[in-house]
Amino acid sequence: MAEHQVNYANGLPVILTSVDKLVQWGRSNSLWALSYGLACCAIEMMAAGGARYDFDRFGTIFRASPRHSEVMIIAGTLCKKHAEFTRRLYDQMPDPKWVISMGSCANTGGMFNTYSVVQGVDRIIPVDIYVPGCAPRPESFQFALMILQKKIRKEKASRKQAIKRLI
Ligand code: SF4
């Protein structure tokens, strides 16, 4: 068996980073998600949490309570009757928090251009990442999560989250 020798002749290795980077790195790798499956897109979201795609390895664990969660994943068609509850759940999530809108229905109302459907969840809550598709596959959703992780790592941990704009 090959042996690997570490040469400490020049001193011990030191890693330098800022507290900000460390906190945001931790945050981005432990995103607990409020699963908010509203229609068929939710099936793809559930598949993402299953054994094949295994979201747990990203530190993303699905929760059923807004008070445990940092990311709200809206997967499906949001009806106007239900919009008030969506906003209430978002408000109950602790700061900092992020939102992923999954699928055409959540993004824009999709094919349901009717009186009863919200034409984009960004009219109710601020969205950080939009995942296109009807329905988006778990890979797309996984990619969106990785983009969100990158975005979080670029933010400053010490800074209060700016109020996001609604459409
Ligand atoms: S985008 Fe397509 S798959 Fe997703 S909820 Fe709407 S109709 Fe269903």
Side-chain angles (χ1 to χ4, degrees):
M1 186 190 287
E3 277 189 27
H4 181 69
Q5 276 201 332
V6 183
N7 184 6
Y8 290 127
N10 297 326
L12 286 171
V14 176
I15 297 173
L16 287 176
T17 186
S18 62
V19 175
D20 247 350
K21 279 193 178 146
L22 196 66
V23 169
Q24 292 301 70
W25 174 79
R27 241 176 214 163
S28 66
N29 286 305
S30 60
L31 290 172
W32 287 15
L34 175 65
S35 46
Y36 206 58
L38 296 171
C40 14
C41 273
I43 303 297
E44 298 295 324
M45 182 179 71
M46 285 181 234
R52 181 164 181 161
Y53 295 96
D54 191 16
F55 256 36
D56 290 10
R57 71 199 152 108
F58 291 90
T60 302
I61 319 252
F62 289 100
R63 307 297 301 174
S65 160
R67 297 183 201 278
H68 295 174
S69 313
E70 291 137 332
V71 192
M72 188 180 217
I73 298 161
I74 311 251
T77 324
L78 180 64
C79 293
K80 285 186 182 161
K81 214 172 178 182
H82 198 76
E84 185 193 337
F85 307 116
T86 307
R87 179 71 213 196
R88 194 182 302 168
L89 287 172
Y90 176 78
D91 288 339
Q92 285 177 348
M93 286 165 64
D95 281 327
K97 53 194 170 190
W98 299 272
V99 176
I100 296 180
S101 164
M102 184 179 178
S104 305
C105 286
N107 294 345
T108 62
M111 67 181 103
F112 304 107
N113 189 8
T114 64
Y115 69 95
S116 59
V117 172
V118 177
Q119 300 298 299
V121 291
D122 48 14
R123 290 161 192 243
I124 310 292
I125 52 173
V127 174
D128 294 280
I129 310 273
Y130 297 85
V131 190
C134 174
R137 283 191 49 82
E139 291 95 332
S140 316
F141 181 37
Q142 211 161 34
F143 183 62
L145 192 93
M146 285 157 76
I147 302 263
L148 181 64
Q149 284 182 321
K150 262 193 191 170
K151 181 179 148 94
I152 293 170
R153 284 180 203 135
K154 279 188 195 153
E155 288 173 3
K156 267 196 164 290
S158 48
R159 193 183 296 157
K160 209 168 178 291
Q161 205 173 25
I163 295 169
K164 290 172 198 159
R165 195 169 64 91
L166 286 176
I167 300 294

